Amino acid sequence: MTTTVGSPAGAARRPGTTATAYPRYLAGRLGGAAVSLLAVLVTSFFLFRVLPGDPVKAMTRGVPTSAGQMATLRRQFGLDLPLWQQFTDYCAKALTGDLGTSYQFRAPVGELIADKLPATLLLTGVAVVLYSAVGLWLGTRSAWRHGGLGDKLNTGVALTLWSVPSFWLGLLLIIVFSVGVGPVPGLFPTGGMESGDETGPAYVLDVAHHMVLPVLTLVAVGYAQTLLVMRASLLDEMGGDYLTTARAKGLRDDLVRRRHAVPNALLPTVTMIFINLGHVAAGSILVETVFSWPGLGGLFYQALSVPDLPLVQGLFVVFAGAMIVMNLLADLLYPLLDPRVGR
């Protein structure tokens, strides 16, 4: 049997059509991530050079310092070098994992970040898991029963919370549940991660007690976004012919939703969840500052107040790098959710 080039059989047998599609897709995404990381390095260096203030003057504020000592400090931190040389030195060190030395703490930036990272991962990691699960569940139910009382209530609450600044909500929770208002007593600590005098299981309970209000703040704001995105995605899928076919086959409504509609509506929500996972490294600067949480957010606020350029730059690279990596993982996961992607 002879197959013509333009026939379907010829197209099906054409070598390399699908075999090379995913590698090209993968190479494109990896290349894009590499370019983004390079852009982050450039941006992190020049962006924070426009901050007002002299780091050396800030470090020596309140301490009698001669002009010669000021010049020695600038030379020690490389601030006397031309800007282009500072940039090349910064990029060369950053590519080897050396993010420099903090001006105010006189310690390697990498060590400072590693010391504060567990607290941020604990706080924002728990919050992301909770609000992603709650948002997906409520968003699916709202879309599947759109127009009903539950949908209107969920959507209204979500829109309200999404528009509320997280720091304002955190302050409100402190006033109500930490300080106490009227008959409501102060139930939770006003800030910090621990009381400092507990060990063993009591220490775990103490940390959990301190986490309640900051986690509640992050969940209240974060679940709203997940709910609205999932609801919109599922509403787009609900008019599809494949759902009508599934119902015509006699499948129950719950099975149609779980096996057919929800998986096809997950792509936009997966992107958002992975972006939120990228935020786990950054934490929430405002929420950590409001609750005095000893994580990267508070460290970033301290670095900006000087400004501590190496520390600010290092944190910016870590925050942006986490976002780029999570976006890359989401892109690599797409073909598993939808085989049409990357083909």
Side-chain angles (χ1 to χ4, degrees):
M1 176 180 176
T2 304
T3 305
T4 60
V5 175
S7 67
R13 295 180 183 180
R14 190 177 297 128
T17 302
T18 58
T20 60
Y22 185 74
R24 285 199 305 269
Y25 173 81
L26 178 61
R29 293 300 181 270
L30 290 174
V35 172
S36 298
L37 285 173
L38 180 61
V40 165
L41 286 178
V42 175
T43 303
S44 67
F45 179 84
F46 289 103
L47 176 63
F48 299 109
R49 287 301 188 281
V50 302
L51 289 175
D54 185 341
V56 174
K57 288 183 179 179
M59 284 186 292
T60 57
R61 185 180 295 116
V63 179
T65 310
S66 67
Q69 290 173 324
M70 299 278 283
T72 300
L73 285 173
R74 287 193 172 88
R75 184 167 56 254
Q76 178 182 346
F77 292 115
L79 296 174
D80 61 329
L81 298 174
L83 191 60
W84 66 267
Q85 189 172 349
Q86 293 184 43
F87 175 67
T88 54
D89 290 346
Y90 166 71
C91 289
K93 291 180 179 179
L95 292 175
T96 61
D98 182 1
L99 297 175
T101 301
S102 168
Y103 294 161
Q104 57 181 323
F105 297 105
R106 307 295 179 90
V109 170
E111 292 182 6
L112 292 172
I113 293 175
D115 182 56
K116 299 292 186 180
L117 183 60
T120 290
L121 292 180
L122 175 64
L123 177 67
T124 54
V126 170
V128 167
V129 170
L130 289 176
Y131 71 63
S132 296
V134 172
L136 284 173
W137 180 64
L138 290 178
T140 301
R141 293 180 64 85
S142 292
W144 206 249
R145 296 176 174 84
H146 64 282
L149 178 61
D151 176 37
K152 292 178 181 178
L153 182 61
N154 284 330
T155 305
V157 172
L159 287 171
T160 301
L161 290 174
W162 198 8
S163 62
V164 170
S166 59
F167 70 90
W168 181 85
L169 181 59
L171 290 173
L172 187 64
L173 291 177
I174 288 176
I175 293 172
V176 176
F177 296 107
S178 293
V179 179
V181 174
V184 180
L187 300 174
F188 301 100
T190 57
M193 181 177 173
E194 58 186 69
S195 300
D197 54 358
E198 304 290 351
T199 57
Y203 173 77
V204 176
L205 293 176
D206 183 45
V207 172
H209 190 217
H210 283 75
M211 286 178 60
V212 171
L213 292 185
V215 167
L216 182 60
T217 302
L218 293 172
V219 169
V221 176
Y223 101 92
Q225 182 185 17
T226 309
L227 182 152
L228 294 172
V229 171
M230 185 62 193
R231 179 182 181 277
S233 301
L234 189 54
L235 285 175
D236 288 340
E237 295 292 331
M238 286 177 60
D241 293 337
Y242 68 96
L243 296 183
T244 304
T245 303
R247 291 189 180 96
K249 291 180 177 179
L251 291 180
R252 289 184 291 109
D253 198 54
D254 285 345
L255 291 177
V256 172
R257 183 182 72 242
R258 286 189 286 108
R259 293 185 181 179
H260 298 279
V262 170
N264 286 301
L266 276 178
L267 286 184
T269 313
V270 164
T271 300
M272 190 194 59
I273 289 175
F274 271 87
I275 290 175
N276 290 337
L277 288 174
H279 286 156
V280 168
S284 177
I285 296 173
L286 295 177
V287 172
E288 287 192 7
T289 302
V290 167
F291 288 97
S292 302
W293 191 262
L296 295 181
L299 186 64
F300 190 71
Y301 178 80
Q302 287 180 277
L304 281 175
S305 63
V306 174
D308 189 339
L309 294 179
L311 185 54
V312 170
Q313 290 169 179
L315 287 167
F316 181 82
V317 169
V318 170
F319 295 165
M323 295 293 296
I324 292 171
V325 170
M326 288 302 164
N327 273 303
L328 176 62
L329 291 177
D331 287 338
L332 300 183
L333 183 62
Y334 279 172
L336 301 178
L337 298 174
D338 188 346
R340 295 171 297 180
V341 178
R343 295 292 184 266

